[in-house]
Amino acid sequence: MNAAAADPADNNATDGYGDFDFIVVSNRLPVDRVKSDGEESWRRSPGGLVTALAPVMGKADGAWVGWHGAPDEEVDQFDHDNMHLLPVPLSSSEVELYYEGFSNATLWPLYHDVIAPPEFHRTWWDSYRTVNRRFADAAASMAAKGATVWVQDYQLQLVPQMLRKDRPDLKIGFFNHIPFPPLEIFAQLPWRRAIIEGLLGADLIGFQRPSDASNFLRCVRRFAGHTVRQQQVQVQTEEGISYVSRAESFPISIDVDQITELAKREDIVERSKQIRRELGDPKTVLLGVDRLDYTKGISHRLKAYGELLEDGTLTVEDASLIQVASPSRERVEQYRLLREEVEGTVGRINGTYDTMGSTAIRYLHHSYPVEEMVALYLAADVMLVTALRDGMNLVAKEYVAARTNNTGALVLSEFAGAADQLRQAVLVNPHDIDGLKSAVLDAINMPDREAQRRMRLMRRQVLQNDVERWSKNFLNALQQTEPGEEG
């Protein structure tokens, strides 16, 4: 394994500061462990966050704090590419209580409008606090005096306040990648004030949509009692220290250059044609790409598509749906039940409508490399993004970026953050099955000229606002507030 042993305590131990001017803190490190010929090494993880922050790491003498993915194991900090990585250990019990429990069975459903009922267990909360403290301590040990620390996502909402108490010299940012719920839903959380105060430890709290920031500020007024003026919160600590915390929207995006370059590669273009041939060359290929998660609206999509076949509006000779549903949290009961429901629905539809030469739904319960995903984007005439609630949904933006000839149509849930930017999509309420059926037909039958006009405008938006611009906008805004600034 590529590991260079080091101890955070060795970093400028005499003055209590670490060596790094820019720290990212996230639940997972930006690398995956791989084994080849009996040798272990690390490979950079796919994903927009890593792509956005890797260049910043190189320029700013950066370090990344996160779990390395294996429970009950301690790994020394090490360097990979241009990043210094500090693995935070988690026990099997903490993975169960902090991650699968409080993060993904309490916060995830609560923050996604209670599509599934959240569970509230004190043992889960205790573990969440313990793990957040461990992440905060690790980040503090690495940070140089006056460093910038950017904490990522809902698993670590207590870290900003912990850092502020331990290291008031730091600039602290937090970004919430998922929605933030309305006050009436957030009110259910027994530990609501502790979460709010944890987030308010940050100088800048970023959200995907303006509505998420507004929801948060409403909760601050109701449950924390701090003075809120526009997007600023005047925080008064128990120690009598006053500072300003800001809440703003910074919609995340994708690595546009990567997607557009892949979309022009001859082998990927040929693969897209091969995909259509393997489906029997239908007139229309529809595509859904999701994690197998109850927030993604897969069941609603399948119901609408099945009814279109039942109505005779679509036939399997003319239309085929590819549904990629990558595995997700398979140890959690709700996800196992969802998989059974989705696969049962696919089986019923295919059993009813398949012919020897055509299939209604090609269901793929796999994860695929980005090259295959771009080939699927190129093969699809219509992209279906029907999330019941989604912070952003980067698949929608990837599809748009891949359509370099401005063809294709996007059916997009109005409950996905991407709907704020991609207004030229066919917007839909996925709970309205009749409306969803109409939206699918509108996308299929849209005149070429109208489809190209819409796609051209959406591509302009995505190309001008890539993931690098997102990170720059957030970090520039963070620098405008000094840590501990007096209000």
Side-chain angles (χ1 to χ4, degrees), residues 1-8 42 75-80 84-87:
M1 193 187 309
N2 178 21
D7 188 328
W42 299 96
V75 176
D76 291 326
Q77 54 185 286
F78 61 97
D79 294 315
H80 186 272
H84 187 77
L85 307 179
L86 176 59

Side-chain angles (χ1 to χ4, degrees), residues 65-338:
V65 174
W67 180 44
H68 62 285
D72 302 316
E73 179 186 45
E74 295 204 16
V75 176
D76 291 326
Q77 54 185 286
F78 61 97
D79 294 315
H80 186 272
D81 290 342
N82 62 343
M83 296 180 285
H84 187 77
L85 307 179
L86 176 59
V88 175
L90 295 179
S91 67
S92 295
S93 174
E94 288 167 340
V95 172
E96 179 183 352
L97 301 177
Y98 144 79
Y99 181 70
E100 295 174 353
F102 195 79
S103 294
N104 291 320
T106 299
L107 294 175
W108 180 268
L110 187 77
Y111 282 34
H112 287 85
D113 290 357
V114 198
I115 294 168
E119 299 180 41
F120 306 114
H121 300 293
R122 286 170 288 180
T123 54
W124 292 1
W125 167 248
D126 290 341
S127 182
Y128 185 82
R129 285 190 305 179
T130 298
V131 172
N132 272 241
R133 166 49 66 188
R134 191 175 306 146
F135 275 81
D137 290 345
S141 74
M142 303 295 287
K145 186 174 183 179
T148 296
V149 180
W150 193 0
V151 185
Q152 306 289 332
D153 224 0
Y154 64 105
Q155 302 96 342
L156 302 173
Q157 293 176 105
L158 304 181
V159 170
Q161 185 188 44
M162 293 173 174
L163 280 174
R164 180 171 288 277
K165 287 184 175 180
D166 295 345
R167 293 287 305 275
D169 59 293
L170 299 174
K171 288 187 177 73
I172 304 168
F174 181 92
F175 189 79
N176 195 61
H177 292 260
I178 67 174
F180 196 89
L183 181 150
E184 294 76 12
I185 290 178
F186 186 75
Q188 298 176 35
L189 184 65
W191 308 279
R192 60 200 186 189
R193 176 152 189 171
I195 292 292
I196 290 171
E197 297 289 1
L199 291 170
L200 287 174
D203 298 289
L204 178 63
I205 310 161
F207 298 93
Q208 299 281 23
R209 309 178 82 167
S211 57
D212 296 322
S214 297
N215 287 344
F216 173 72
L217 292 171
R218 283 189 66 210
C219 291
V220 170
R221 288 188 185 96
R222 177 68 62 87
F223 301 123
H226 299 301
T227 300
V228 179
R229 293 190 180 93
Q230 296 182 328
Q231 295 173 299
Q232 297 187 337
V233 181
Q234 183 71 46
V235 183
Q236 187 80 26
T237 70
E238 296 175 357
E239 295 79 16
I241 299 172
S242 177
Y243 65 93
V244 172
S245 179
R246 298 205 318 274
E248 300 179 20
S249 64
F250 297 87
I252 198 170
S253 193
I254 62 169
D255 184 354
V256 169
D257 290 343
Q258 180 193 36
I259 299 298
T260 54
E261 288 170 9
L262 289 173
K264 296 175 182 177
R265 262 178 42 185
E266 290 185 10
D267 59 323
I268 292 178
V269 173
E270 180 53 39
R271 172 60 184 149
S272 72
K273 296 175 181 177
Q274 180 186 8
I275 290 170
R276 294 186 70 100
R277 290 194 296 269
E278 290 172 352
L279 294 172
D281 280 322
K283 180 180 177 182
T284 302
V285 174
L286 301 104
L287 174 65
V289 175
D290 311 88
R291 282 190 310 105
L292 189 56
D293 190 290
Y294 52 77
T295 64
K296 300 300 184 181
I298 299 172
S299 298
H300 297 64
R301 182 184 314 156
L302 295 178
K303 181 175 179 61
Y305 183 66
E307 289 189 9
L308 287 170
L309 293 173
E310 182 180 359
D311 298 343
T313 312
L314 295 180
T315 68
V316 292
E317 290 80 15
D318 286 337
S320 185
L321 169 63
I322 302 172
Q323 177 59 59
V324 178
S326 57
S328 176
R329 300 169 190 159
E330 298 198 305
R331 288 174 34 165
V332 178
E333 179 66 15
Q334 286 173 327
Y335 289 79
R336 287 198 293 266
L337 294 175
L338 176 64

Side-chain angles (χ1 to χ4, degrees), residues 4-23:
D7 188 328
D10 294 335
N11 291 338
N12 293 338
T14 55
D15 60 14
Y17 298 119
D19 291 335
F20 297 92
D21 295 320
F22 180 63
I23 313 287

